[in-house]
Amino acid sequence: GSTSSFEAGVPRIVTIGTREIGVVRWGKAFYALRNHCPDQGGPLCRGAVRPLLSGGTAGQQVSLELEEDRPIIACPWHHYEFDLKTGHEIRGGRRAVVYPVEVIDGEVFVRTGRRS
């Protein structure tokens, strides 16, 4: 679809062949991932998208920071969080399937490696 038809931070689920794929607009970037959580097969792309919240300590101080350039999605079933860029789970070893996205002349294309 056209870039203007994607709402920022809201996954749009499309069917390509037999796969459901969620496409997310984040700023000027687009990400695509399979609508399948690697934990128990939940509808990953029905989850919330937000920037990664990271933290650290310095002495007795705790610092928290939103990493706006690192969007994540949380599975609505068990709230496992996955990096939209890499598919890697934020705090574990699971990995969601991600697909490359190209924008050509204002249109969004997902490369699945198969011809439908």
Side-chain angles (χ1 to χ4, degrees):
S2 70
T3 57
S4 62
S5 69
F6 287 85
E7 186 177 347
V10 178
R12 179 195 292 177
I13 299 172
V14 297
T15 301
I16 299 175
T18 59
R19 292 177 268 193
E20 285 190 345
I21 296 173
V23 180
V24 179
R25 178 183 196 146
W26 189 259
K28 293 183 180 183
F30 285 85
Y31 303 95
L33 68 159
R34 187 169 172 218
N35 186 28
H36 178 89
C37 182
D39 175 46
Q40 292 185 15
L44 180 57
C45 299
R46 299 228 185 269
V49 176
R50 63 172 179 78
L52 177 67
L53 177 65
S54 60
T57 59
Q60 297 206 354
Q61 298 292 322
V62 175
S63 65
L64 297 174
E65 178 182 351
L66 283 176
E67 296 185 36
E68 295 288 342
D69 63 336
R70 193 161 171 213
I72 63 167
I73 190 166
C75 180
W77 282 10
H78 301 108
H79 307 288
Y80 289 107
E81 297 174 320
F82 298 88
D83 186 308
L84 285 178
K85 292 179 185 179
T86 66
H88 290 284
E89 184 181 358
I90 300 302
R91 291 171 187 81
R94 296 173 183 90
R95 185 170 181 199
V97 176
V98 295
Y99 301 96
V101 179
E102 290 183 74
V103 176
I104 302 170
D105 296 329
E107 295 290 317
V108 179
F109 294 90
V110 176
R111 304 291 177 201
T112 64
R114 280 190 183 169
R115 292 185 181 206
S116 299

